Structure formats: structure tokens, C-alpha cells
Amino acid sequence: GDFGNETSSRSTKLIWAGIRYIATAFSSLLRFKNLTQPVQAVSDFWSEFSMVQSAHNERRLLLENNPHLTKWVPIAIPIKEWISWPAPFGHPIFASAPITLPAVFKFYDSMSGFTCPPSHIMRVSRATRKFPQLDEAVKYFQVFYEATHNDARTATYIALTAAEEGAAVANYV
């Protein structure tokens, strides 16, 4: 076997920057119980936000330093209703997510300094051509971008770089 032999079969190969963490952080921040603990609520939110910002920075570095191993991949979210119920992430404010998603994803784009391809709304007719596996019974598709990489090659690249820098590299020890 090689370095990263079991990696590919167990990986999404995506370099996520944390859109879900931002949503859960906002939903936690906006909980009614946090009125009694505002300092702790803001601290918890800031911790999650900082982690996502760090993930954006790491993703950018991976893309810049390893263009031969990484690329952007579009992710399409089908929006079937204007109001979602039960509300995503268990918070009523997210019931309006289908209306607010374009702004949310522009904010997400901004966290990476707009170094990613821009998020956008895609009409159903175009989306069904570009993503034929998606359901057509929708209002629109929200498209955003995450990075992807060849994880087995990335593991090998890291091992080779470590060896080049003088590390002792071994496999199956």
C-alpha cells in the first residue's frame, strides 16, 4: 500500500470551510435562553465564527499552494418552498432561509475574501442541465462553492515534503 491508502474510500474529498457551523452558531446565539447568559452566548458564537474563519484561511492556503491537487466544486441547494417548516437548525428564524440564503452565501463568500467563485442563484432550467440528478420541482437553486482535493495524493505530497525537509518517513511500521 501507499500513504493515504485507506483515505480515499472514507473521505468526501471536500475542503469544507464551515457553512453549517455558521448556521448552528447563529441559531445557538439567537436562542431565548441566551438572554440570561449573553456573555457566554457571544463567547460561544465567537469561538465558532473564529473556527470557520480559520477554516476559510486554511482552504485558501491549500488552494493557493497546491493548485495541482485542489479545485473548486459547485454545490447546488434545491429550494422547494419559500418558507421551510420545521425550521432548519431548530430555530424559527431559519424558516425564512430560502429567502435569505443568497445574502447568507455572499457573507460566506466574504469570509474567504471573495477568493472563491461567487455564490449565485441558478434558475431551474439551467440547473437541470448542469446538475441532471437534481429534482426539478423547486423554486430555485442556491449554488455555492467549496474546494475539493485528491486526498490520497495530498497525503503522499505531505509525506514527500516532510522527507524533503529531513523527516524520517515510513509506511506500515
Side-chain angles (χ1 to χ4, degrees), residues 25 28-48:
S28 293
L29 179 66
L30 300 174
R31 297 261 181 243
F32 185 73
K33 69 176 182 136
N34 285 333
L35 291 175
T36 62
Q37 305 170 15
V39 173
Q40 184 62 46
V42 170
S43 175
D44 292 346
F45 172 79
W46 187 251
S47 175
E48 289 288 306

Side-chain angles (χ1 to χ4, degrees), residues 128-148:
T128 53
R129 285 192 312 275
K130 192 167 177 104
F131 307 103
Q133 70 276 23
L134 296 176
D135 186 358
E136 291 186 39
V138 298
K139 305 290 185 199
Y140 73 93
F141 289 91
Q142 176 64 53
V143 179
F144 73 105
Y145 290 82
E146 291 290 4
T148 186

Side-chain angles (χ1 to χ4, degrees), residues 92-142:
I93 198 166
F94 289 104
S96 65
I99 298 167
T100 60
L101 272 180
V104 168
F105 279 108
K106 286 301 176 190
F107 174 74
Y108 191 64
D109 292 351
S110 78
M111 291 185 73
S112 64
F114 296 102
T115 57
C116 57
S119 60
H120 58 278
I121 293 172
M122 188 178 287
R123 290 185 323 220
V124 175
S125 58
R126 182 163 181 245
T128 53
R129 285 192 312 275
K130 192 167 177 104
F131 307 103
Q133 70 276 23
L134 296 176
D135 186 358
E136 291 186 39
V138 298
K139 305 290 185 199
Y140 73 93
F141 289 91
Q142 176 64 53

Side-chain angles (χ1 to χ4, degrees), residues 15-30:
I15 307 169
W16 289 101
I19 188 66
R20 185 175 179 87
Y21 289 103
I22 288 291
T24 56
F26 270 111
S27 69
S28 293
L29 179 66
L30 300 174

Side-chain angles (χ1 to χ4, degrees), residues 56-104:
H56 273 272
N57 294 339
E58 288 180 29
R59 181 182 70 180
R60 182 182 48 78
L61 286 171
L62 277 168
L63 285 153
E64 287 175 0
N65 295 336
N66 304 293
H68 58 295
L69 299 173
T70 59
K71 65 179 179 180
W72 291 105
V73 61
I75 298 174
I77 301 172
I79 305 302
K80 296 183 178 190
E81 301 292 333
W82 293 116
I83 301 295
S84 298
W85 202 261
F89 303 104
H91 197 287
I93 198 166
F94 289 104
S96 65
I99 298 167
T100 60
L101 272 180
V104 168

